[in-house]
Amino acid sequence: MAFEIATTSSERTKPRWYEAIWHIEGVVPMGEARSADEAFDRLAPLFRHTGTTVRQRGDTLAFDKTDPDAQDPLAVFDRGTIEATTAAGEPVLRYRMVSRALLFCFFAPLLFLAFAQATVLVAAWTKPSAEEAAKAEKKQIQLPQNWIDKALGAPAPEPKKKKEAGAGDDKKPKPTAAYIFAGIFAFLYVVGRLLESRLVRQRIITRLSGNIQP
């Protein structure tokens, strides 16, 4: 983990509504911590992982991650900020974290749905026209009739349609796989968005409580 003291800052902007797709934010009480420095010291173990850079400026801590380890409890997040402030007269920590993984899982279903729609359009475009279907009806194979059946006056067997090469329905493109992947990624996004938000909050509260050892 790299630790730096930031010397510059940018003006804080109000979050846009759509950023909630891949941003996770919340407010937690500082608990046993009596100052911003003490709170950040308690949270330090969360950032002691390869590829993590931490910058502190006063009451604000910012972090960035590059190729985080699988064991990193915040590996799903690329960057974030934690600010020590007050709410209703009580000291709290306000956090905001960004995850490109959540953004990918959000757009992946839309991409696969687009693939599915394209597959449907291609299948419709390659479907034989009414004229071609009529020609196919004429291409029939007359099945031979047994001489005994013919002598007994049995009706001749129905003609069998001649199957065109490559005209089987199983060879037509189908959107099923695209729909399945769209459903999988939609499920991953919903579960990840809810689960990660809860886990981040719980990890911060647990560290601030001081009930575990770094």
Side-chain angles (χ1 to χ4, degrees):
M1 178 188 73
F3 189 91
E4 303 173 358
I5 302 295
T7 56
T8 61
S9 63
S10 58
E11 183 179 359
R12 185 178 177 182
T13 59
K14 186 178 180 180
R16 300 176 178 85
W17 63 268
Y18 55 81
E19 291 181 350
I21 295 173
W22 72 100
H23 289 62
I24 288 180
E25 56 183 9
V27 179
V28 296
M30 290 179 60
E32 300 295 330
R34 300 302 178 184
S35 65
D37 289 337
E38 183 179 352
F40 294 154
D41 286 342
R42 290 172 180 259
L43 296 180
L46 293 176
F47 306 105
R48 290 174 183 164
H49 295 274
T50 304
T52 302
T53 301
V54 180
R55 303 176 301 280
Q56 181 182 348
R57 185 186 67 84
D59 293 342
T60 302
L61 180 146
F63 71 89
D64 294 279
K65 291 183 178 293
T66 303
D67 297 328
D69 295 332
Q71 296 79 12
D72 190 339
L74 301 178
V76 71
F77 300 104
D78 304 285
R79 64 182 186 277
T81 59
I82 303 177
E83 178 186 6
T85 182
T86 58
E90 297 293 332
V92 297
L93 289 183
R94 189 183 306 275
Y95 60 88
R96 181 176 176 83
M97 302 182 185
V98 182
S99 172
R100 286 181 294 183
L102 288 178
L103 184 62
F104 172 79
C105 287
F106 178 83
F107 281 110
L110 303 180
L111 179 62
F112 281 108
L113 288 177
F115 287 155
Q117 186 61 31
T119 302
V120 172
L121 294 176
V122 170
W125 181 69
T126 56
K127 185 178 179 180
S129 63
E131 183 179 353
E132 293 175 340
K135 291 181 179 179
E137 289 288 339
K138 296 179 180 179
K139 294 181 179 179
Q140 299 176 343
I141 302 176
Q142 185 65 44
L143 298 178
Q145 186 180 21
N146 187 282
W147 67 273
I148 298 178
D149 293 336
K150 187 175 181 179
L152 294 175
E158 293 291 333
K160 183 179 179 182
K161 295 180 181 179
K162 185 177 180 181
K163 188 175 181 181
E164 297 286 347
D169 291 338
D170 57 337
K171 294 181 182 287
K172 293 182 179 179
K174 297 181 180 179
T176 306
Y179 286 133
I180 292 175
F181 280 107
I184 291 174
F185 278 103
F187 175 79
L188 289 177
Y189 173 76
V190 173
V191 173
R193 181 64 177 78
L194 297 177
L195 181 62
E196 288 300 331
S197 179
R198 183 174 180 179
L199 288 177
V200 167
R201 180 180 179 84
Q202 187 60 43
R203 285 165 180 154
I204 293 177
I205 292 177
T206 301
R207 289 292 175 180
L208 291 174
S209 67
N211 293 332
I212 60 176
Q213 296 297 325

Coordinates of all heavy atoms in Angstrom, one line a residue, residues 99-180:
S99 N -17.0 1.7 -9.0 CA -16.7 0.3 -9.4 C -17.0 0.2 -10.9 O -18.2 0.2 -11.3 CB -17.5 -0.7 -8.6 OG -17.4 -2.0 -9.2
R100 N -15.9 0.0 -11.7 CA -16.1 -0.3 -13.1 C -16.7 -1.7 -13.4 O -17.4 -1.9 -14.4 CB -14.8 -0.1 -13.9 CG -14.4 1.3 -14.1 CD -13.1 1.4 -14.8 NE -12.0 0.8 -14.1 CZ -10.7 0.8 -14.5 NH1 -10.4 1.4 -15.6 NH2 -9.8 0.3 -13.7
A101 N -16.5 -2.6 -12.4 CA -17.1 -3.9 -12.6 C -18.6 -3.9 -12.5 O -19.3 -4.6 -13.3 CB -16.6 -4.8 -11.5
L102 N -19.2 -3.0 -11.7 CA -20.6 -2.9 -11.6 C -21.1 -2.2 -12.9 O -22.2 -2.6 -13.4 CB -21.0 -2.0 -10.4 CG -20.9 -2.7 -9.0 CD1 -21.2 -1.7 -7.9 CD2 -21.7 -3.9 -8.9
L103 N -20.4 -1.3 -13.4 CA -20.8 -0.6 -14.6 C -20.8 -1.6 -15.8 O -21.7 -1.6 -16.6 CB -19.8 0.5 -15.0 CG -20.1 1.4 -16.2 CD1 -21.5 2.1 -16.0 CD2 -19.1 2.4 -16.4
F104 N -19.8 -2.5 -15.9 CA -19.8 -3.5 -16.9 C -21.0 -4.4 -16.8 O -21.6 -4.8 -17.8 CB -18.5 -4.3 -16.8 CG -18.4 -5.5 -17.7 CD1 -18.1 -5.3 -19.1 CD2 -18.7 -6.8 -17.2 CE1 -18.1 -6.4 -19.9 CE2 -18.7 -7.9 -18.1 CZ -18.4 -7.7 -19.4
C105 N -21.3 -4.9 -15.6 CA -22.4 -5.8 -15.4 C -23.7 -5.1 -15.7 O -24.7 -5.8 -16.0 CB -22.4 -6.3 -13.9 SG -21.1 -7.5 -13.6
F106 N -23.8 -3.8 -15.6 CA -25.0 -3.1 -15.9 C -25.2 -3.0 -17.4 O -26.4 -3.2 -17.9 CB -25.0 -1.7 -15.3 CG -26.2 -0.9 -15.6 CD1 -27.3 -1.0 -14.9 CD2 -26.1 0.0 -16.7 CE1 -28.4 -0.2 -15.2 CE2 -27.3 0.8 -17.0 CZ -28.4 0.7 -16.3
F107 N -24.2 -2.8 -18.2 CA -24.3 -2.6 -19.6 C -24.3 -4.0 -20.3 O -24.7 -4.0 -21.5 CB -23.2 -1.7 -20.1 CG -23.5 -0.2 -19.9 CD1 -22.8 0.5 -19.0 CD2 -24.6 0.4 -20.6 CE1 -23.1 1.8 -18.8 CE2 -24.9 1.7 -20.4 CZ -24.1 2.5 -19.5
A108 N -23.7 -5.0 -19.7 CA -23.6 -6.3 -20.4 C -24.9 -6.8 -20.8 O -25.1 -7.3 -22.0 CB -22.8 -7.3 -19.5
P109 N -26.0 -6.8 -20.0 CA -27.3 -7.3 -20.4 C -27.8 -6.6 -21.6 O -28.4 -7.2 -22.5 CB -28.2 -7.1 -19.2 CG -27.2 -7.1 -18.0 CD -26.0 -6.5 -18.6
L110 N -27.6 -5.2 -21.7 CA -28.1 -4.5 -22.8 C -27.4 -4.9 -24.1 O -28.0 -5.0 -25.2 CB -27.8 -3.0 -22.5 CG -28.5 -2.4 -21.3 CD1 -28.2 -0.9 -21.1 CD2 -30.0 -2.6 -21.3
L111 N -26.1 -5.2 -23.9 CA -25.3 -5.6 -25.1 C -25.8 -7.0 -25.6 O -26.0 -7.1 -26.9 CB -23.8 -5.7 -24.7 CG -22.9 -6.2 -25.9 CD1 -22.9 -5.2 -27.0 CD2 -21.5 -6.4 -25.3
F112 N -26.0 -7.9 -24.7 CA -26.5 -9.2 -25.2 C -28.0 -9.1 -25.7 O -28.3 -9.9 -26.6 CB -26.4 -10.2 -24.0 CG -25.0 -10.7 -23.8 CD1 -24.3 -10.4 -22.7 CD2 -24.5 -11.6 -24.7 CE1 -23.0 -10.8 -22.5 CE2 -23.2 -12.1 -24.5 CZ -22.5 -11.7 -23.4
L113 N -28.8 -8.3 -25.2 CA -30.1 -8.1 -25.7 C -30.0 -7.5 -27.1 O -30.9 -7.9 -28.0 CB -30.9 -7.2 -24.8 CG -31.4 -7.7 -23.5 CD1 -32.1 -6.7 -22.6 CD2 -32.3 -9.0 -23.7
A114 N -29.1 -6.6 -27.4 CA -28.9 -6.1 -28.7 C -28.4 -7.3 -29.6 O -28.9 -7.3 -30.8 CB -27.8 -5.0 -28.7
F115 N -27.6 -8.1 -29.2 CA -27.2 -9.3 -30.0 C -28.4 -10.2 -30.3 O -28.6 -10.7 -31.4 CB -26.1 -10.1 -29.2 CG -24.8 -9.5 -29.2 CD1 -23.9 -9.8 -28.2 CD2 -24.4 -8.6 -30.2 CE1 -22.6 -9.2 -28.2 CE2 -23.1 -8.0 -30.2 CZ -22.2 -8.3 -29.2
A116 N -29.3 -10.4 -29.3 CA -30.5 -11.2 -29.5 C -31.4 -10.6 -30.5 O -31.9 -11.3 -31.4 CB -31.2 -11.4 -28.2
Q117 N -31.6 -9.3 -30.4 CA -32.4 -8.6 -31.4 C -31.9 -8.7 -32.8 O -32.6 -8.9 -33.8 CB -32.6 -7.1 -31.0 CG -33.6 -6.4 -31.8 CD -35.0 -7.0 -31.8 OE1 -35.4 -7.5 -30.8 NE2 -35.8 -6.9 -32.9
A118 N -30.5 -8.5 -32.9 CA -29.9 -8.6 -34.2 C -30.1 -10.1 -34.8 O -30.3 -10.2 -36.0 CB -28.4 -8.3 -34.1
T119 N -30.0 -11.1 -33.9 CA -30.2 -12.4 -34.4 C -31.6 -12.7 -34.9 O -31.8 -13.3 -35.9 CB -29.9 -13.4 -33.2 OG1 -28.6 -13.2 -32.7 CG2 -30.1 -14.9 -33.7
V120 N -32.6 -12.1 -34.2 CA -34.0 -12.2 -34.6 C -34.1 -11.5 -36.0 O -34.8 -12.1 -36.9 CB -34.9 -11.6 -33.6 CG1 -36.3 -11.5 -34.1 CG2 -34.9 -12.4 -32.3
L121 N -33.5 -10.4 -36.2 CA -33.7 -9.7 -37.4 C -33.0 -10.4 -38.6 O -33.5 -10.5 -39.7 CB -33.1 -8.3 -37.3 CG -33.8 -7.3 -36.4 CD1 -33.0 -6.0 -36.3 CD2 -35.2 -7.1 -36.9
V122 N -31.8 -11.0 -38.3 CA -31.1 -11.8 -39.3 C -32.0 -13.0 -39.7 O -32.1 -13.4 -40.9 CB -29.8 -12.2 -38.8 CG1 -29.1 -13.3 -39.7 CG2 -28.8 -11.0 -38.7
A123 N -32.6 -13.7 -38.7 CA -33.4 -14.9 -39.0 C -34.6 -14.5 -39.8 O -35.0 -15.2 -40.7 CB -33.8 -15.5 -37.6
A124 N -35.2 -13.3 -39.5 CA -36.3 -12.9 -40.3 C -35.9 -12.5 -41.7 O -36.7 -12.8 -42.7 CB -37.0 -11.7 -39.6
W125 N -34.8 -12.0 -41.9 CA -34.3 -11.6 -43.2 C -33.9 -12.8 -44.1 O -34.1 -12.7 -45.3 CB -33.1 -10.7 -43.0 CG -32.5 -10.2 -44.3 CD1 -33.1 -9.3 -45.2 CD2 -31.3 -10.6 -44.9 NE1 -32.3 -9.1 -46.3 CE2 -31.1 -9.9 -46.1 CE3 -30.2 -11.4 -44.5 CZ2 -30.0 -10.0 -47.0 CZ3 -29.1 -11.6 -45.3 CH2 -29.0 -10.9 -46.6
T126 N -33.5 -13.8 -43.4 CA -33.1 -15.0 -44.2 C -34.2 -16.0 -44.4 O -34.1 -17.1 -45.0 CB -31.9 -15.8 -43.5 OG1 -32.3 -16.1 -42.1 CG2 -30.7 -14.9 -43.5
K127 N -35.4 -15.7 -43.8 CA -36.6 -16.6 -43.9 C -37.0 -16.6 -45.4 O -37.1 -15.6 -46.0 CB -37.7 -16.1 -43.0 CG -38.9 -17.0 -43.0 CD -40.0 -16.5 -42.1 CE -41.2 -17.4 -42.0 NZ -42.2 -16.9 -41.1
P128 N -37.3 -17.8 -46.0 CA -37.8 -17.9 -47.3 C -39.1 -17.1 -47.6 O -39.9 -17.0 -46.7 CB -38.0 -19.4 -47.6 CG -37.5 -20.1 -46.4 CD -37.3 -19.1 -45.3
S129 N -39.1 -16.5 -48.7 CA -40.3 -15.7 -49.1 C -41.5 -16.7 -49.5 O -41.3 -17.9 -49.6 CB -40.1 -14.8 -50.3 OG -39.7 -15.6 -51.4
A130 N -42.7 -16.1 -49.7 CA -43.8 -17.0 -50.0 C -43.6 -17.7 -51.3 O -44.0 -18.8 -51.5 CB -45.1 -16.1 -50.1
E131 N -43.0 -17.0 -52.3 CA -42.7 -17.6 -53.6 C -41.7 -18.7 -53.5 O -41.9 -19.8 -54.1 CB -42.2 -16.5 -54.5 CG -41.9 -17.0 -56.0 CD -41.4 -15.9 -56.9 OE1 -41.3 -14.8 -56.4 OE2 -41.0 -16.3 -58.0
E132 N -40.7 -18.5 -52.7 CA -39.7 -19.6 -52.5 C -40.4 -20.8 -51.8 O -40.0 -22.0 -52.0 CB -38.5 -19.1 -51.7 CG -37.7 -18.1 -52.5 CD -36.6 -17.5 -51.6 OE1 -36.7 -17.6 -50.3 OE2 -35.7 -16.9 -52.1
A133 N -41.3 -20.5 -50.8 CA -41.9 -21.6 -50.1 C -42.8 -22.4 -51.0 O -42.9 -23.6 -50.9 CB -42.8 -21.0 -48.9
A134 N -43.5 -21.7 -52.0 CA -44.3 -22.4 -52.9 C -43.5 -23.3 -53.8 O -43.9 -24.4 -54.2 CB -45.1 -21.3 -53.8
K135 N -42.3 -22.8 -54.2 CA -41.4 -23.6 -55.1 C -41.0 -24.8 -54.3 O -40.8 -25.9 -54.9 CB -40.2 -22.8 -55.5 CG -40.6 -21.7 -56.5 CD -39.3 -21.0 -57.0 CE -39.7 -19.9 -58.0 NZ -38.5 -19.1 -58.4
A136 N -40.8 -24.7 -53.0 CA -40.3 -25.8 -52.2 C -41.4 -26.9 -52.1 O -41.1 -28.1 -52.0 CB -39.9 -25.3 -50.8
E137 N -42.7 -26.4 -52.1 CA -43.8 -27.4 -52.0 C -43.8 -28.3 -53.3 O -44.2 -29.4 -53.2 CB -45.1 -26.6 -51.9 CG -45.3 -25.9 -50.5 CD -45.6 -26.9 -49.4 OE1 -46.0 -28.1 -49.8 OE2 -45.4 -26.6 -48.3
K138 N -43.4 -27.7 -54.4 CA -43.4 -28.5 -55.6 C -42.3 -29.5 -55.7 O -42.4 -30.5 -56.5 CB -43.3 -27.5 -56.8 CG -44.5 -26.6 -57.0 CD -44.4 -25.7 -58.2 CE -45.5 -24.7 -58.3 NZ -45.4 -23.8 -59.5
K139 N -41.3 -29.2 -54.9 CA -40.1 -30.1 -54.9 C -40.4 -31.3 -54.0 O -40.1 -31.2 -52.8 CB -38.8 -29.4 -54.6 CG -38.4 -28.4 -55.6 CD -37.1 -27.7 -55.1 CE -36.7 -26.7 -56.2 NZ -35.4 -26.0 -55.7
Q140 N -41.1 -32.3 -54.4 CA -41.5 -33.4 -53.6 C -41.0 -34.7 -54.2 O -40.8 -34.8 -55.4 CB -43.0 -33.5 -53.5 CG -43.7 -32.2 -52.8 CD -45.2 -32.3 -52.8 OE1 -45.8 -33.0 -53.6 NE2 -45.8 -31.4 -52.0
I141 N -40.8 -35.6 -53.3 CA -40.4 -37.0 -53.7 C -41.5 -38.0 -53.6 O -42.1 -38.1 -52.6 CB -39.2 -37.4 -52.8 CG1 -38.0 -36.4 -52.9 CG2 -38.7 -38.8 -53.2 CD1 -36.9 -36.7 -52.0
Q142 N -41.9 -38.6 -54.8 CA -42.9 -39.6 -54.8 C -42.4 -40.9 -54.2 O -41.5 -41.5 -54.8 CB -43.5 -39.8 -56.2 CG -44.7 -40.7 -56.3 CD -45.9 -40.1 -55.6 OE1 -46.2 -39.0 -55.7 NE2 -46.6 -41.0 -54.8
L143 N -43.0 -41.3 -53.1 CA -42.5 -42.6 -52.5 C -43.1 -43.8 -53.3 O -44.3 -43.8 -53.7 CB -43.0 -42.6 -51.0 CG -42.4 -41.5 -50.1 CD1 -43.0 -41.7 -48.7 CD2 -40.9 -41.6 -50.0
P144 N -42.3 -44.8 -53.4 CA -42.8 -46.0 -54.2 C -43.9 -46.8 -53.4 O -43.8 -46.8 -52.1 CB -41.5 -46.9 -54.3 CG -40.6 -46.4 -53.2 CD -40.9 -45.0 -53.0
Q145 N -44.8 -47.4 -54.1 CA -45.9 -48.1 -53.4 C -45.7 -49.6 -53.7 O -45.4 -50.0 -54.8 CB -47.3 -47.7 -54.0 CG -48.4 -48.3 -53.3 CD -49.8 -47.9 -53.9 OE1 -49.8 -47.4 -55.0 NE2 -50.8 -48.0 -53.1
N146 N -45.8 -50.3 -52.6 CA -45.7 -51.8 -52.7 C -46.8 -52.3 -53.6 O -47.9 -51.9 -53.6 CB -45.9 -52.4 -51.3 CG -45.6 -53.9 -51.3 OD1 -46.4 -54.7 -51.7 ND2 -44.4 -54.2 -50.8
W147 N -46.4 -53.3 -54.5 CA -47.3 -53.9 -55.5 C -48.5 -54.6 -54.9 O -49.6 -54.6 -55.5 CB -46.5 -54.8 -56.4 CG -46.1 -56.1 -55.8 CD1 -44.9 -56.3 -55.1 CD2 -46.8 -57.3 -55.8 NE1 -44.8 -57.6 -54.7 CE2 -46.0 -58.3 -55.0 CE3 -48.0 -57.8 -56.2 CZ2 -46.4 -59.6 -54.8 CZ3 -48.4 -59.1 -56.0 CH2 -47.6 -60.0 -55.3
I148 N -48.3 -55.1 -53.7 CA -49.4 -55.8 -53.0 C -50.5 -54.7 -52.6 O -51.7 -54.9 -52.8 CB -48.9 -56.6 -51.8 CG1 -48.0 -57.7 -52.2 CG2 -50.1 -57.1 -51.0 CD1 -47.4 -58.5 -51.1
D149 N -50.0 -53.6 -52.0 CA -50.9 -52.5 -51.6 C -51.6 -52.0 -52.8 O -52.8 -51.6 -52.8 CB -50.1 -51.4 -50.9 CG -49.6 -51.9 -49.6 OD1 -50.1 -52.8 -49.0 OD2 -48.6 -51.3 -49.1
K150 N -50.9 -51.8 -53.9 CA -51.5 -51.3 -55.2 C -52.5 -52.2 -55.7 O -53.6 -51.8 -56.2 CB -50.4 -51.1 -56.2 CG -50.8 -50.4 -57.4 CD -49.7 -50.1 -58.4 CE -50.1 -49.3 -59.6 NZ -49.0 -49.0 -60.5
A151 N -52.3 -53.6 -55.6 CA -53.3 -54.6 -56.1 C -54.5 -54.6 -55.2 O -55.6 -54.8 -55.7 CB -52.6 -55.9 -56.1
L152 N -54.3 -54.3 -53.9 CA -55.5 -54.3 -53.0 C -56.2 -52.9 -53.1 O -57.2 -52.8 -52.4 CB -55.0 -54.5 -51.6 CG -54.4 -55.9 -51.3 CD1 -53.9 -56.0 -49.9 CD2 -55.5 -57.0 -51.6
G153 N -55.7 -52.0 -53.9 CA -56.4 -50.7 -54.0 C -56.1 -49.7 -52.9 O -56.9 -48.7 -52.7
A154 N -55.0 -49.9 -52.2 CA -54.6 -49.0 -51.1 C -54.2 -47.7 -51.7 O -53.6 -47.7 -52.8 CB -53.5 -49.6 -50.3
P155 N -54.4 -46.5 -51.1 CA -54.0 -45.2 -51.6 C -52.5 -45.1 -51.6 O -51.8 -45.7 -50.8 CB -54.7 -44.2 -50.6 CG -54.8 -45.0 -49.4 CD -55.1 -46.4 -49.8
A156 N -52.0 -44.4 -52.6 CA -50.6 -44.2 -52.7 C -50.1 -43.3 -51.5 O -50.8 -42.5 -51.0 CB -50.3 -43.4 -54.0
P157 N -48.9 -43.6 -51.1 CA -48.3 -42.8 -49.9 C -48.2 -41.3 -50.3 O -48.0 -40.9 -51.5 CB -46.9 -43.4 -49.7 CG -46.6 -44.1 -51.0 CD -47.9 -44.5 -51.6
E158 N -48.3 -40.4 -49.3 CA -48.2 -39.0 -49.5 C -46.7 -38.7 -50.0 O -45.8 -39.2 -49.5 CB -48.4 -38.2 -48.2 CG -49.9 -38.4 -47.7 CD -50.8 -37.6 -48.7 OE1 -50.4 -36.6 -49.3 OE2 -52.0 -38.0 -48.8
P159 N -46.6 -37.7 -50.9 CA -45.3 -37.3 -51.4 C -44.5 -36.7 -50.3 O -45.1 -36.0 -49.4 CB -45.6 -36.3 -52.5 CG -47.0 -36.5 -52.9 CD -47.7 -37.0 -51.7
K160 N -43.2 -36.9 -50.2 CA -42.3 -36.4 -49.2 C -41.6 -35.2 -49.8 O -41.1 -35.2 -50.9 CB -41.3 -37.4 -48.8 CG -40.3 -37.0 -47.7 CD -39.4 -38.1 -47.4 CE -38.4 -37.6 -46.3 NZ -37.4 -38.7 -46.0
K161 N -41.7 -34.1 -49.0 CA -41.0 -32.8 -49.4 C -39.5 -33.0 -49.5 O -38.9 -33.6 -48.6 CB -41.3 -31.7 -48.4 CG -42.8 -31.3 -48.4 CD -43.1 -30.2 -47.5 CE -44.6 -29.8 -47.4 NZ -44.9 -28.7 -46.5
K162 N -38.9 -32.5 -50.5 CA -37.5 -32.6 -50.7 C -36.8 -31.5 -49.8 O -37.2 -30.3 -49.9 CB -37.1 -32.4 -52.2 CG -35.7 -32.6 -52.4 CD -35.4 -32.4 -53.9 CE -33.9 -32.6 -54.2 NZ -33.6 -32.4 -55.6
K163 N -35.9 -31.9 -49.0 CA -35.3 -31.0 -48.1 C -34.1 -30.3 -48.8 O -33.2 -31.0 -49.3 CB -34.8 -31.8 -46.8 CG -34.2 -30.9 -45.7 CD -33.9 -31.7 -44.5 CE -33.4 -30.8 -43.4 NZ -33.0 -31.6 -42.2
E164 N -34.2 -29.0 -48.7 CA -33.1 -28.2 -49.3 C -31.8 -28.3 -48.5 O -31.9 -28.4 -47.3 CB -33.5 -26.8 -49.5 CG -34.6 -26.5 -50.4 CD -34.3 -26.7 -51.9 OE1 -33.0 -26.7 -52.1 OE2 -35.1 -26.8 -52.7
A165 N -30.7 -28.3 -49.1 CA -29.4 -28.4 -48.4 C -29.3 -27.1 -47.5 O -29.4 -26.0 -48.0 CB -28.2 -28.4 -49.3
G166 N -29.1 -27.3 -46.2 CA -28.9 -26.2 -45.3 C -30.2 -25.5 -45.0 O -30.2 -24.4 -44.4
A167 N -31.3 -26.1 -45.3 CA -32.6 -25.4 -45.0 C -33.2 -25.9 -43.7 O -34.4 -25.5 -43.4 CB -33.6 -25.7 -46.1
G168 N -32.5 -26.7 -42.9 CA -33.1 -27.1 -41.6 C -33.2 -26.0 -40.6 O -32.5 -25.1 -40.6
D169 N -34.3 -26.1 -39.8 CA -34.6 -25.1 -38.8 C -33.5 -25.0 -37.8 O -33.3 -24.0 -37.2 CB -35.9 -25.4 -38.1 CG -37.1 -25.1 -39.1 OD1 -36.9 -24.4 -40.1 OD2 -38.2 -25.7 -38.8
D170 N -32.8 -26.2 -37.5 CA -31.8 -26.2 -36.5 C -30.5 -25.4 -36.9 O -29.7 -25.1 -36.1 CB -31.3 -27.6 -36.2 CG -30.9 -28.4 -37.4 OD1 -31.3 -28.0 -38.5 OD2 -30.1 -29.3 -37.2
K171 N -30.4 -25.0 -38.2 CA -29.3 -24.2 -38.6 C -29.6 -22.7 -38.6 O -28.7 -21.9 -38.9 CB -28.9 -24.7 -40.0 CG -28.4 -26.1 -40.1 CD -28.0 -26.5 -41.5 CE -27.5 -27.9 -41.6 NZ -26.2 -28.1 -41.1
K172 N -30.8 -22.3 -38.3 CA -31.1 -20.9 -38.3 C -30.6 -20.3 -37.0 O -30.5 -20.9 -35.9 CB -32.6 -20.7 -38.3 CG -33.3 -21.1 -39.6 CD -34.8 -20.9 -39.6 CE -35.4 -21.3 -40.9 NZ -36.9 -21.1 -40.9
P173 N -30.1 -19.1 -37.0 CA -29.6 -18.4 -35.8 C -30.7 -18.2 -34.8 O -31.8 -17.8 -35.2 CB -29.0 -17.1 -36.4 CG -29.7 -16.9 -37.6 CD -30.0 -18.2 -38.2
K174 N -30.4 -18.5 -33.6 CA -31.4 -18.4 -32.5 C -30.8 -17.4 -31.4 O -29.6 -17.5 -31.1 CB -31.7 -19.7 -31.9 CG -32.3 -20.7 -32.9 CD -32.7 -22.0 -32.3 CE -33.3 -23.0 -33.3 NZ -33.6 -24.3 -32.7
P175 N -31.7 -16.6 -30.8 CA -31.3 -15.7 -29.8 C -31.2 -16.2 -28.3 O -31.0 -15.5 -27.4 CB -32.3 -14.5 -29.9 CG -33.6 -15.3 -30.3 CD -33.1 -16.5 -31.1
T176 N -31.4 -17.5 -28.2 CA -31.6 -18.1 -26.9 C -30.3 -17.8 -26.0 O -30.4 -17.4 -24.8 CB -31.8 -19.6 -27.0 OG1 -32.9 -19.8 -27.8 CG2 -32.1 -20.2 -25.6
A177 N -29.1 -18.1 -26.5 CA -27.9 -17.9 -25.8 C -27.7 -16.5 -25.3 O -27.3 -16.2 -24.2 CB -26.7 -18.4 -26.6
A178 N -28.0 -15.5 -26.2 CA -27.9 -14.1 -25.9 C -28.8 -13.8 -24.7 O -28.5 -13.0 -23.8 CB -28.2 -13.2 -27.1
Y179 N -30.1 -14.3 -24.7 CA -31.0 -14.0 -23.7 C -30.5 -14.6 -22.3 O -30.7 -14.0 -21.3 CB -32.4 -14.6 -24.0 CG -33.1 -13.8 -25.0 CD1 -33.8 -14.4 -26.1 CD2 -33.2 -12.4 -25.0 CE1 -34.5 -13.7 -27.1 CE2 -33.9 -11.7 -25.9 CZ -34.5 -12.4 -27.0 OH -35.2 -11.6 -27.9
I180 N -29.9 -15.8 -22.4 CA -29.4 -16.4 -21.2 C -28.3 -15.6 -20.6 O -28.3 -15.3 -19.4 CB -28.9 -17.8 -21.5 CG1 -30.1 -18.7 -21.9 CG2 -28.1 -18.4 -20.3 CD1 -29.7 -20.1 -22.3

